[in-house]
Amino acid sequence: MTDDESRKREEFNTKYLPCFTEYFSQAQMEKKIISYVYLIEELHKLEITSNESTYKHVLSKKVLLTSKNAKNLCRSGVQFKHMKNVILKMFNVDFSKEDYENKKKDVFKGRSLSDLEDQIPSFTDKTFEESLPFHYLNEKGINALKEVVWLLNGVLPKIEYSPTLLSVASLLLLFLSKEETYEVLRNIIESDQNLNELNKLRWHFRYTLIENVKLDLSIKTCILDLSKDNTGNHFKLIEDMGLPMYDLVKDMRETFFLDYVNFLGIVKFLPFFLLEGVKGIYRIIY
């Protein structure tokens, strides 16, 4: 490691690492960055695009989901140190650890995670381990993720098939406690289930296999239509390589791009997706 790289790593550890929770794995992050020099350079750019007064103004809003300033902020990228407050404000999360522990007792019924290891829900037709793509969690974070999805499955049992849910939960745990992550996801799921057909682009997740298939086909069709005059040949090359466009779209979306996008890219995308829903997925795939 060069002297410059060492200095930038130290800057990350001093300035940015405290923004993450105890669940964050720096070793995992290092697999998905070019270098600390590049990462710090991009983080400095992020700080230039939005100042403290911008965050103060956005966080003073009663409802972030309809705020133009919040939309602009989430599209340009939220600074690490403000990520937690922006996400919690987005969904007006209000909870108590006591309520969480009571729900946990009701759902777990005295059993521990180790007792339920082979029953951890993945919201797919695979096991939890098979369904979790690349992630940025340490062992404690993985256990927190297992607890959150088990609790969601117990409180909201209508989730039949929703692979993206696992990836988004793993990212939320980088900035939120397990209690906060549970509340945000519960809020999203309940809101999604109350949306009508006209607001489907506001949906964050799909909850049945059929709905997921429809979404992937819609994304594929939309991208092919938009790219006829621009990148259509690129997609033909992908197909010629033996990778059908549908399979590519499906894999990218179901893993929430964790196997495709670098660390900073996926962390910047998270608040955009949380604020605007599935239309952000259309954009990033295109």
Side-chain angles (χ1 to χ4, degrees), residues 20-162:
F20 295 92
T21 65
E22 59 184 328
Y23 309 131
F24 173 65
S25 170
Q26 191 169 356
Q28 285 289 93
M29 181 200 74
E30 289 175 349
K31 296 176 183 178
K32 286 284 191 174
I33 62 172
I34 297 172
S35 67
Y36 277 99
V37 171
Y38 175 78
L39 177 62
I40 294 299
E41 181 182 322
E42 292 301 305
L43 289 173
H44 288 172
K45 289 178 183 177
L46 197 59
E47 290 165 357
I48 293 172
T49 60
S50 54
N51 54 37
E52 292 303 308
S53 62
T54 302
Y55 286 97
K56 186 176 180 180
H57 176 71
V58 166
L59 292 172
S60 69
K61 297 285 185 181
K62 277 191 174 183
V63 182
L64 253 62
L65 294 178
T66 56
S67 167
K68 184 177 180 180
N69 288 323
K71 183 181 291 187
N72 292 336
L73 184 65
C74 289
R75 286 182 175 183
S76 61
V78 176
Q79 294 177 29
F80 290 172
K81 66 180 179 180
H82 292 293
M83 189 73 77
K84 175 176 180 173
N85 288 335
V86 169
I87 293 173
L88 294 181
K89 181 69 176 180
M90 205 180 288
F91 298 99
N92 291 315
V93 170
D94 183 22
F95 74 100
S96 72
K97 287 192 175 182
E98 184 179 354
D99 288 342
Y100 179 87
E101 289 301 321
N102 287 335
K103 287 187 179 74
K104 186 175 165 183
K105 287 178 183 177
D106 290 341
V107 172
F108 279 77
K109 303 185 185 305
R111 299 167 295 180
S112 66
L113 276 174
S114 57
D115 296 330
L116 304 166
E117 195 62 39
D118 60 344
Q119 303 174 47
I120 302 296
S122 65
F123 309 118
T124 71
D125 53 2
K126 302 175 184 176
T127 65
F128 176 89
E129 284 73 18
E130 291 171 337
S131 300
L132 186 64
F134 186 88
H135 60 82
Y136 298 100
L137 299 173
N138 55 29
E139 185 177 354
K140 192 170 186 177
I142 292 294
N143 287 332
L145 178 61
K146 289 177 179 179
E147 183 174 307
V148 167
V149 296
W150 185 270
L151 195 54
L152 284 172
N153 191 60
V155 176
L156 300 163
K158 294 182 179 180
I159 306 173
E160 173 195 312
Y161 188 86
S162 191

Side-chain angles (χ1 to χ4, degrees), residues 82-284:
H82 292 293
M83 189 73 77
K84 175 176 180 173
N85 288 335
V86 169
I87 293 173
L88 294 181
K89 181 69 176 180
M90 205 180 288
F91 298 99
N92 291 315
V93 170
D94 183 22
F95 74 100
S96 72
K97 287 192 175 182
E98 184 179 354
D99 288 342
Y100 179 87
E101 289 301 321
N102 287 335
K103 287 187 179 74
K104 186 175 165 183
K105 287 178 183 177
D106 290 341
V107 172
F108 279 77
K109 303 185 185 305
R111 299 167 295 180
S112 66
L113 276 174
S114 57
D115 296 330
L116 304 166
E117 195 62 39
D118 60 344
Q119 303 174 47
I120 302 296
S122 65
F123 309 118
T124 71
D125 53 2
K126 302 175 184 176
T127 65
F128 176 89
E129 284 73 18
E130 291 171 337
S131 300
L132 186 64
F134 186 88
H135 60 82
Y136 298 100
L137 299 173
N138 55 29
E139 185 177 354
K140 192 170 186 177
I142 292 294
N143 287 332
L145 178 61
K146 289 177 179 179
E147 183 174 307
V148 167
V149 296
W150 185 270
L151 195 54
L152 284 172
N153 191 60
V155 176
L156 300 163
K158 294 182 179 180
I159 306 173
E160 173 195 312
Y161 188 86
S162 191
T164 311
L165 185 56
L166 205 59
S167 301
V168 174
S170 76
L171 289 170
L172 287 172
L173 283 167
L174 301 184
F175 300 98
L176 309 181
S177 69
K178 61 185 179 182
E179 296 90 351
E180 292 164 338
T181 298
Y182 164 77
E183 283 296 324
V184 166
L185 290 172
R186 184 188 62 77
N187 186 303
I188 288 174
I189 293 167
E190 289 183 347
S191 296
D192 280 356
Q193 292 174 348
N194 290 327
L195 289 174
N196 58 36
E197 286 290 319
L198 295 177
N199 291 311
K200 275 199 171 182
L201 285 181
R202 279 274 181 201
W203 285 20
H204 294 83
F205 307 111
R206 297 295 190 268
Y207 302 98
T208 68
L209 179 59
I210 292 174
E211 284 293 330
N212 275 271
V213 170
K214 285 180 180 178
L215 175 59
D216 292 329
L217 288 172
S218 171
I219 294 172
K220 176 193 170 183
T221 301
C222 181
I223 291 171
L224 290 176
D225 286 345
L226 289 172
S227 61
K228 281 179 180 176
D229 299 327
N230 300 314
T231 56
N233 289 334
H234 295 168
F235 292 128
K236 185 178 185 304
L237 287 173
I238 292 172
E239 296 264 0
D240 290 343
M241 290 168 61
L243 183 60
M245 270 299 298
Y246 173 80
D247 292 346
L248 179 60
V249 167
K250 178 177 182 290
D251 192 58
M252 291 175 75
R253 184 191 64 80
E254 289 195 347
T255 61
F256 201 68
F257 313 102
L258 281 164
D259 290 325
Y260 296 86
V261 180
N262 65 27
F263 171 72
L264 187 56
I266 199 64
V267 171
K268 286 175 67 176
F269 177 62
L270 178 63
F272 175 29
F273 168 77
L274 292 175
L275 186 71
E276 301 199 40
V278 76
K279 68 179 179 181
I281 291 180
Y282 280 80
R283 291 190 178 194
I284 197 172

